[in-house]
Amino acid sequence: MSTVRKLVRSARAISRELSKPKGRGPASPTEDRCLKLGIALGGGFARGLVHIGVLKALEDARITVDFVAGTSVGALIGACYCAGVSAEELKEIARATRFKDFARRTLSRYGLCSNDRMQHYCARILKVTTFEDLKIPLAIAATDFHTGAPAVFTQGPLVGPIRASCAYPGMFLPDEIEGRSYVDGMLGYAVPTTPLREMGADRVLGVYLSAHWMAERPPRHLFEVIGQCFSDRAGQHVRAMEEGCRPGARARR
């Protein structure tokens, strides 16, 4: 309940912020004075259900989301929402979804599973196939496997970038798009706020799904090792963002 109350308070604060005029001078009758809101949905496996609660809180507060960016599970939920799936419908979809719906075990030295079943899964719930078909502009973050650089997809076929963004190293095979291999977007953008600014968002809401894979014990298996590395990397990324948002903070060169 405390998490829900926090979401409601945040939604109200966002509503007040978005009602402010864009400029300080007088506006013409035709000038759009509404600030544009972008929401960045971070990665986090099953913790991504929190994203649905955030979207529901925004819907209840009647706050319009103008842009969405997602990484990993945030890419999938963001794509659904941009395609017109409501938060209530997302909740029902999440309740019925099982790992086998989008993953298939495989014999490969590059990963234990393939996420090729996501093609059919996304086709069933999205009802659209390209970024251009979406009702809300969307950016999907992945990571270039060879360079480690973040990659952002905003146009063309939709399912490939979603699969790439969700390709958790070791668990899923890297996904190939136009001859390049990509893995989980969390390595490039733990919370993809930067693409939203480039898309035209005046205000950005980032949803960071923090996790502590291990407390005071050693890792039990490979995926706890990888998960802890992801958690450490994501925490550094978010702390850097917070530092940059503080009053008086200067850009580092």
Side-chain angles (χ1 to χ4, degrees), residues 12-13 25 32-33 36 46 80 83 90 98 112 123 127 137 143 145 151 157 172 188 190 203 218 222 227 236 239:
R12 289 173 178 169
D32 180 9
R33 295 172 62 87
K36 301 294 185 180
C80 290
L90 276 170
R98 299 294 181 267
L112 299 178
K127 306 290 195 298
T143 305
F145 179 68
F172 292 113
R203 295 291 184 270
L222 168 66
Q236 291 172 1
R239 284 191 293 274

Side-chain angles (χ1 to χ4, degrees), residues 119-197:
Q119 186 79 33
H120 176 71
Y121 177 80
C122 288
R124 179 166 54 86
I125 63 176
L126 292 178
K127 306 290 195 298
V128 299
T129 59
T130 69
F131 283 88
E132 290 77 11
D133 295 329
L134 297 171
K135 297 180 179 180
I136 302 172
L138 171 70
I140 291 179
T143 305
D144 189 300
F145 179 68
H146 296 287
T147 67
V152 179
F153 298 88
T154 58
Q155 58 186 4
L158 190 56
V159 176
I162 294 175
R163 288 179 56 187
S165 187
C166 295
Y168 191 85
M171 178 173 290
F172 292 113
L173 307 180
D175 203 80
E176 190 167 299
I177 300 175
E178 296 183 353
R180 298 197 67 84
S181 294
Y182 298 92
V183 292
D184 201 301
M186 279 190 68
L187 291 168
Y189 282 121
V191 183
T193 55
T194 301
L196 293 172
R197 294 292 188 186

Side-chain angles (χ1 to χ4, degrees), residues 9-10 29 64 73 92 100 104 112 155 158 167 204 209 236:
R9 287 198 300 269
S10 297
T64 299
V73 67
E92 295 305 316
K100 65 180 181 180
R104 175 178 59 84
L112 299 178
Q155 58 186 4
L158 190 56
V204 171
L209 306 177
Q236 291 172 1

